[in-house]
Amino acid sequence: MSLVLGVLGGMGPAATLDFLAKLQALTPAERDQDHIRTLVDINPQVPDRNDLLNKPGPVLAEMAGALRGAGADVLAIACNTAHAYADIITRSSGLPLIDMIGTASAAARDSGARRAGVLGTPQALKLYREYLAAQGMGLVTLAPDRQELFMSLIYAIKRGDCGPEVRGQMAALTADLAAGGAETIIAGCTEVPLVFEAGSGRLPFIDAGETLARRCVSVCLGLEPVPAL
Amino acid sequence: MSLVLGVLGGMGPAATLDFLAKLQALTPAERDQDHIRTLVDINPQVPDRNDLLNKPGPVLAEMAGALRGAGADVLAIACNTAHAYADIITRSSGLPLIDMIGTASAAARDSGARRAGVLGTPQALKLYREYLAAQGMGLVTLAPDRQELFMSLIYAIKRGDCGPEVRGQMAALTADLAAGGAETIIAGCTEVPLVFEAGSGRLPFIDAGETLARRCVSVCLGLEPVPAL
C-alpha cells in the first residue's frame, strides 16, 4: 500500500487539476487500485499569496492539519508561492513536505545549467533565489515591466483565459529570460504550464509541478525516502 | 462564502479529475476566490465496486466521515456505481448527498424522453432502473454480450486506453441503445465521457457527471436547497 499524499490546492483550482493529472500520468498503473491515494483540499479561498497584507500561513496550516486528520502521510503544495509558508505548515501539521521549489531547483542543477530563468511571483522568486544559490546556481529574472506583464498573465489564466494572446506573451517572456543569460527555464508558478508546454521554447524547460508530481510518485511508492520534517 | 463540497473520488482517478474540471468550468468565477472549496478523497484503493464479493460500503463511509471532519458540508460521489452504498455513506457521515443518479434521471425526464438508454455497470443499471421508473420512464439496456463489451471498455479506460478503437466501440454501444428504443443516452459511468462527448451520437446525451457538477455548483452557491439527509 502506498503512502497517502495530502495536497494543498486551489491556488488556483485549474493548476491543482493539472498537477493531479500529471501525478496520475506518472504513476505506473494498470487499474484503479495501482494509483496513489490523494487527499486534496482545493481551497480557492486561501487569501491571495501575492498580496503582502494577507497572512495565508495560518489558513494553510489548518488545511494541512485537517488533511493529516483525514489520513494524509506526506504533504505537497500545488502552488510555488505558498511555499513561503512551508515552515508554519509543516510545523503545525507535523506532516513532512515534498518541497516543489527544492525539487525543481535540483532538477535545474541536474540539467547542467548554471543559470535558471524563473517565471514566478515575487514571493516565489525569493525562494528560488535561495534554493538555486544553495545549488551554486544563479537566478535570471524578468525586467520590472515584464514581471508586471507576467503577473497580469497569471491573473488572466486564473480568469480562465488560456488563449493564443496569453500563450504568445508567455512564450515571449521565456525568450526574455533566455536573452538575459538563462540556460534553462523553470515554470515556477503552477499556472504557467496551462499555457506553455515543454518543447515550445528554445531552452530546456522545467515544469516545477511536473517534477514535484514525479517525486511524489517516488516517495509515495517507497522508491525514495520521505523528506525529513 | 459557498458551502464546502466533499467528493468521494478515485473510482477511477481520471474520472474524478474530469468531474472536478466540469465543476470548475461550470462555476461563475473571475478569480481563484470565486471557486467552490472542494475536499476530495481520490482513493483508488476502494475495493472494486463491480466485484460483488467486495464490500466497499464501510470504506466509503469512513472516507465520507473524514471529509466531514476536514470541513465538508455536503457530499458528492464521482462514481455512479458507488451510489449503491449511498445509504451507509450518508447515515454514517451525517452529510447530505447530492445524488448523481437522481440528478441524471431528472435531467432525462426534463428532456422529454420516455425511455433512457444507460451505459453503466450492472449495479448502476439497477439504480437507474429504480430512479427512472420513479420518473415514469423506461430503461433501455445493452444485450448481454454488448454489456460485457461495455465492461471491458471501462477497464481499458481505467488502464489509460482512450484511443480511437475504444472511442469507436463506445459510440457503437450508444447506437445499440438507440436501436433498442432509447430516446436519450445517459453516460451512467464516469469513465464514459472520457471517450464519448456530447454531440458525437445522434441522440441527446446526458453526462451524469456533468449534471452532478452543475447541481453541486447550484447547491454550494446557495441557488438551490441542500438535499435532505
Side-chain angles (χ1 to χ4, degrees):
Chain A
M1 191 76 93
S2 61
L3 294 180
V4 177
L5 180 66
V7 178
L8 298 184
M11 305 166 274
T16 301
L17 298 192
D18 182 61
F19 169 72
L20 294 172
K22 285 164 181 165
L23 187 78
Q24 290 180 11
L26 291 164
T27 305
E30 282 293 307
R31 45 180 205 136
D32 286 359
Q33 287 75 14
D34 299 331
H35 280 276
I36 293 164
R37 183 174 178 190
T38 316
L39 284 161
V40 192
D41 188 345
I42 302 179
N43 186 359
Q45 277 102 38
V46 173
D48 191 320
R49 283 70 58 201
N50 298 308
D51 179 342
L52 295 178
L53 296 177
N54 284 326
K55 299 272 176 276
V59 176
L60 293 164
E62 197 182 320
M63 288 162 63
L67 289 180
R68 183 181 188 163
D73 297 311
V74 58
L75 205 65
I77 309 174
C79 169
N80 289 269
T81 309
H83 281 70
Y85 308 94
D87 274 355
I88 179 175
I89 291 168
T90 51
R91 209 166 356 99
S92 82
S93 70
L95 282 181
L97 174 70
I98 307 175
D99 184 286
M100 176 152 55
I101 316 271
T103 307
S105 299
R109 176 205 59 206
D110 293 347
S111 77
R114 291 157 300 175
R115 281 179 302 279
V118 181
L119 293 168
T121 67
Q123 291 264 48
L125 291 176
K126 272 172 64 179
L127 300 173
Y128 273 106
R129 186 181 298 282
E130 270 176 45
Y131 273 81
L132 289 168
Q135 309 277 4
M137 292 180 67
L139 170 72
V140 179
T141 57
L142 298 168
D145 61 320
R146 301 291 277 170
Q147 178 68 26
E148 269 182 47
L149 170 63
F150 172 74
M151 292 306 292
S152 73
L153 295 180
I154 293 303
Y155 284 100
I157 298 166
K158 285 176 182 292
R159 277 196 307 276
D161 180 1
C162 295
E165 195 174 340
V166 170
R167 290 176 181 271
Q169 288 179 315
M170 193 65 83
L173 293 179
T174 70
D176 271 32
L177 293 172
E183 294 170 353
T184 188
I185 304 287
I186 298 178
C189 178
T190 47
E191 266 80 22
V192 173
L194 301 180
V195 298
F196 188 82
E197 285 89 24
S200 42
R202 62 179 187 79
L203 286 186
F205 177 73
I206 294 169
D207 173 352
E210 189 181 4
T211 60
L212 174 65
R214 185 172 286 112
R215 189 154 164 234
C216 287
V217 170
S218 291
V219 170
C220 289
L221 296 183
L223 305 174
E224 74 178 270
V226 175
L229 251 181
Chain B
M1 191 75 92
S2 60
L3 294 179
V4 177
L5 180 67
V7 178
L8 298 185
M11 307 166 271
T16 301
L17 298 191
D18 182 61
F19 169 73
L20 294 172
K22 285 165 181 164
L23 187 78
Q24 291 179 11
L26 291 165
T27 305
E30 282 293 306
R31 48 184 200 132
D32 285 359
Q33 286 74 15
D34 299 329
H35 280 276
I36 293 163
R37 183 174 178 189
T38 316
L39 284 161
V40 193
D41 188 345
I42 303 178
N43 186 358
Q45 276 101 40
V46 173
D48 191 320
R49 282 72 57 202
N50 299 308
D51 180 343
L52 295 179
L53 295 177
N54 283 324
K55 298 272 175 274
V59 176
L60 292 164
E62 196 182 320
M63 288 161 63
L67 289 181
R68 182 181 189 163
D73 298 310
V74 57
L75 205 64
I77 309 174
C79 170
N80 289 268
T81 310
H83 280 70
Y85 308 95
D87 273 355
I88 180 177
I89 292 167
T90 51
R91 208 165 359 98
S92 83
S93 70
L95 283 181
L97 173 70
I98 307 175
D99 184 286
M100 176 152 52
I101 315 271
T103 306
S105 299
R109 176 204 58 203
D110 293 347
S111 77
R114 290 158 301 174
R115 282 178 301 279
V118 180
L119 293 168
T121 67
Q123 290 264 49
L125 291 176
K126 271 172 65 179
L127 299 173
Y128 273 105
R129 186 181 299 282
E130 270 175 45
Y131 274 81
L132 288 169
Q135 310 278 3
M137 294 182 65
L139 170 72
V140 179
T141 57
L142 298 167
D145 61 319
R146 303 292 277 171
Q147 178 68 26
E148 269 184 45
L149 170 64
F150 172 74
M151 293 305 293
S152 74
L153 295 180
I154 293 304
Y155 284 100
I157 298 167
K158 285 176 182 291
R159 277 196 308 275
D161 179 1
C162 296
E165 195 174 340
V166 170
R167 289 176 183 271
Q169 288 179 313
M170 192 65 82
L173 293 179
T174 69
D176 271 30
L177 292 173
E183 295 170 352
T184 188
I185 304 287
I186 298 178
C189 178
T190 47
E191 266 81 23
V192 173
L194 301 179
V195 298
F196 188 83
E197 285 89 23
S200 41
R202 63 177 185 82
L203 285 187
F205 177 73
I206 294 169
D207 172 352
E210 190 181 3
T211 60
L212 174 66
R214 186 171 287 113
R215 186 151 167 238
C216 288
V217 171
S218 291
V219 169
C220 289
L221 295 183
L223 305 174
E224 75 177 271
V226 176
L229 251 182

